[in-house]
Amino acid sequence: VLASRISPESQQRVFNPALIRPPGALAEREFLAKCLQCGLCMKACPTGGLQPTAFEAGWEGLWTPMLVPMVGYCEFNCNLCGQVCPTGAIQPLPLEEKKKIHIGLATVDTTRCLPYAYERNCIVCEEHCPVPTKAIYFVQKEIPLREGGTLVLKQPKVDPNLCTGCGICENKCVFKDRPAIRVTSAGE
């Protein structure tokens, strides 16, 4: 047990952007001390987005829950993970409070996003954003065409103040191999 706490991840000297904890999770040291690795939160997740960690949180964090947006997302109107956690490692938040929690931040990869890289319209990420004010918005940009003339494209942007990091944008992105919009634990 002592050796598992020596790793840089468990001492919080290394930041793993892929480690997105469920909403209501305690600070990492406290979370790891309380989490039993029972899997109840993962079973309760309606989208299957909560998955067990491998070594994203070091040895001590093995089999603790993390959100994997490629698999599923954090449902906006759900707080089941906190309700089923037997130890309080994930706090049982009221639904209205849970909706305001930031577990991560989405970023647009302009080298893959259709409106940026391929000059094609796509509004999938914005359509699926569950935040009432939409954390993903568009900026219209005129693009000169090869044959002459111009094309007006809607290019997506992420408002970091509104993005909760739920991961639905990454989950629904048309690129399934490596989505053009990805969520990391930044801003949690």
Side-chain angles (χ1 to χ4, degrees):
V1 173
L2 183 59
S4 70
R5 293 189 175 175
I6 294 173
S7 73
E9 293 89 353
S10 65
Q11 293 182 9
Q12 295 181 339
R13 284 187 270 156
V14 176
F15 174 74
N16 186 342
L19 184 62
I20 304 170
R21 293 293 188 192
L26 298 173
E28 192 65 13
R29 289 281 336 127
E30 297 153 56
F31 179 79
L32 292 176
K34 282 194 165 195
C35 181
L36 298 173
Q37 293 96 348
C38 66
L40 289 175
C41 56
M42 294 179 246
K43 289 177 188 171
C45 184
T47 68
L50 285 182
Q51 296 288 313
T53 58
F55 296 104
E56 293 87 355
W59 285 99
E60 190 178 6
L62 193 65
W63 203 262
T64 57
M66 68 181 270
L67 180 68
V68 181
M70 291 278 295
V71 176
Y73 51 90
C74 183
E75 177 62 51
F76 193 65
N77 291 308
C78 175
N79 59 359
L80 290 175
C81 56
Q83 291 176 5
V84 299
C85 182
T87 65
I90 304 172
Q91 298 293 298
L93 301 173
L95 193 54
E96 288 309 310
E97 186 180 336
K98 181 264 181 188
K99 290 178 180 182
K100 297 174 186 169
I101 298 286
H102 294 259
I103 59 173
L105 181 64
T107 54
V108 177
D109 181 348
T110 58
T111 64
R112 293 188 58 77
C113 183
L114 290 174
Y116 287 97
Y118 301 106
E119 298 174 351
R120 294 184 180 158
N121 279 309
C122 179
I123 59 172
V124 172
C125 57
E126 188 269 346
E127 281 181 326
H128 286 91
C129 181
V131 179
T133 314
K134 296 285 186 185
I136 300 171
Y137 64 97
F138 295 113
V139 174
Q140 290 194 354
K141 186 164 183 184
E142 266 190 40
I143 308 290
L145 295 174
R146 185 177 187 177
E147 307 83 31
T150 58
L151 172 67
V152 178
L153 288 174
K154 291 181 175 182
Q155 294 180 331
K157 302 277 185 187
V158 178
D159 185 336
N161 297 316
L162 295 175
C163 180
T164 61
C166 71
I168 193 168
C169 54
E170 181 176 335
N171 185 267
K172 301 297 182 185
C173 181
V174 296
F175 289 107
K176 295 300 177 194
D177 59 335
R178 190 179 45 151
I181 187 164
R182 290 188 291 278
V183 179
T184 65
S185 58
E188 55 127 350

